[in-house]
Amino acid sequence: MIQATDLTKVYGRHRAVDQVSFTARPGRVTGFLGPNGAGKSTTMRMICGLTLPTSGSATVLGQSFRDLPNPGRHVGVLLDASAQHKGRTGRETLRLACGLMGLPPGRVDEVLDLVSLTPKEAAGRTGTYSLGMRQRLGIALALLGEPEVLILDEPVNGLDPTGIRWMRDLLRSYADDGGTVLLSSHLLREVEAVADDLVIMGQGRVLAQGSTEELLAVPGTEFTSLDDTRLATALENAGYDVSRTDAGLTTSAGSEEVGRAALQAAVVLVRLQPSTSTGLEGLFFGTTAQTGREEIAA
């Protein structure tokens, strides 16, 4: 589990992160979203002990990241896939990490196979790797110690469609086996496809959080009838909001209330269904519309 409590980071006069609190739970993928400069990367760096908070705290598996013994055995981190020694081969990079974590050398071949890096690719120097190959190596490093927690920043960046689907299946399987995943990505559809919970940031603050199902749920009803004007008037007189859409009308009333109003107004209903969500993209832009892009990226 990951617990952030009132995390705050101030650089001079700029408050990059402002009292951010959330929990990423075991067995679930938590999507961590926000526009550029929202404070996501700074928050993730504070969770991983790379940046000291001005105030507040963050724990992973109940401890500060810096207090975890042999942290790579407990937490897999991918914050910057390009932060690899360009003169080492992929295999050498993993072997070195294995030695530091006290893992058997055979674990290198296991993770290379898991992330689909071929022996030829693993023998190449990371400075020659494509972005997608660097991502796969970074994911291999994160998975090397068979950790209980994954903290990933843009893990699908540079992956082709097949790689993106592979990553989605990997994260889903990892969470289903009881792991905790904190996933930051700008690919909203991919986050929507895999995330159980969402945390949306803007201007250093948490703007919305909760389960994906709850946040994407839309109250109300969509309908069309043989006399929309008459039925809309009946619903408005009953105290409900009614607005027109391209597909007909939508109202704050539930399906049962719309049916009763139609019966009392003697109007034949043609279509009646719960309001449909605009998806994560609609939620994201609706939530962050007033925050925009920060002048100082965080």
Side-chain angles (χ1 to χ4, degrees):
M1 184 170 73
I2 300 169
Q3 181 76 54
T5 305
D6 294 331
L7 272 179
T8 299
K9 184 62 181 179
V10 178
Y11 295 101
R13 297 181 180 179
H14 176 60
R15 189 173 287 265
V17 177
D18 188 4
Q19 294 188 310
V20 166
S21 298
F22 67 87
T23 301
R25 293 175 287 166
R28 300 177 73 84
V29 177
T30 299
F32 194 41
L33 308 175
N36 289 341
K40 306 184 305 298
S41 295
T42 301
T43 300
M44 296 177 87
R45 288 180 61 84
M46 286 192 285
I47 291 171
C48 295
L50 298 173
T51 296
L52 291 175
T54 303
S55 62
S57 63
T59 58
V60 183
L61 299 173
Q63 299 184 65
S64 165
F65 188 96
R66 295 186 175 199
D67 292 333
L68 289 170
N70 201 350
R73 300 291 295 268
H74 303 284
V75 187
V77 177
L78 175 60
L79 298 184
D80 183 1
S82 65
Q84 297 160 1
H85 193 296
K86 293 180 173 56
R88 295 195 183 107
T89 69
R91 182 177 292 277
E92 287 170 346
T93 300
L94 292 169
R95 279 180 177 171
L96 178 60
C98 262
L100 292 172
M101 291 186 214
L103 297 168
R107 181 62 181 157
V108 171
D109 288 320
E110 292 176 3
V111 293
L112 284 172
D113 182 63
L114 182 61
V115 302
S116 300
L117 279 175
T118 67
K120 181 178 180 180
E121 290 169 337
R125 299 192 184 280
T126 63
T128 67
Y129 278 15
S130 66
L131 177 57
M133 290 170 64
R134 289 198 300 270
Q135 288 291 99
R136 288 179 184 271
L137 179 60
I139 294 161
L141 283 166
L143 296 173
L144 192 62
E146 299 183 272
E148 303 158 68
V149 175
L150 287 178
I151 300 174
L152 308 174
D153 191 5
E154 302 290 350
V156 299
N157 190 22
L159 296 181
D160 60 18
T162 300
I164 291 174
R165 182 173 182 178
W166 163 78
M167 173 58 70
R168 184 196 311 163
D169 293 342
L170 175 71
L171 297 182
R172 185 70 269 157
S173 175
Y174 183 88
D176 289 345
D177 287 340
T180 300
V181 181
L182 181 63
L183 168 67
S184 176
S185 177
H186 286 112
L187 299 182
L188 299 180
R189 291 185 180 180
E190 289 306 313
V191 174
E192 184 175 3
V194 74
D196 303 293
D197 302 302
L198 298 170
V199 178
I200 302 177
M201 288 187 64
Q203 292 185 340
R205 300 184 300 274
V206 173
L207 303 179
Q209 64 176 302
S211 74
T212 304
E213 182 179 7
E214 291 171 346
L215 290 176
L216 296 184
V218 178
T221 308
E222 297 176 2
F223 66 93
T224 54
S225 70
L226 296 184
D227 192 340
D228 285 347
T229 301
R230 186 173 180 180
L231 182 51
T233 300
L235 286 165
E236 288 171 342
N237 289 339
Y240 298 107
D241 295 326
V242 181
S243 58
R244 183 169 296 279
T245 67
D246 293 339
L249 295 175
T250 182
T251 176
S252 58
S255 298
E256 182 177 341
E257 287 79 8
V258 174
R260 291 182 183 277
L263 178 62
Q264 293 172 358
V267 175
V268 176
L269 282 167
V270 177
R271 181 178 65 89
L272 181 66
Q273 67 181 48
S275 294
T276 55
S277 169
T278 57
L280 181 53
E281 184 174 287
L283 172 67
F284 178 85
F285 288 114
T287 302
T288 63
Q290 301 302 314
T291 62
R293 185 176 184 275
E294 298 277 1
E295 292 182 0
I296 303 174

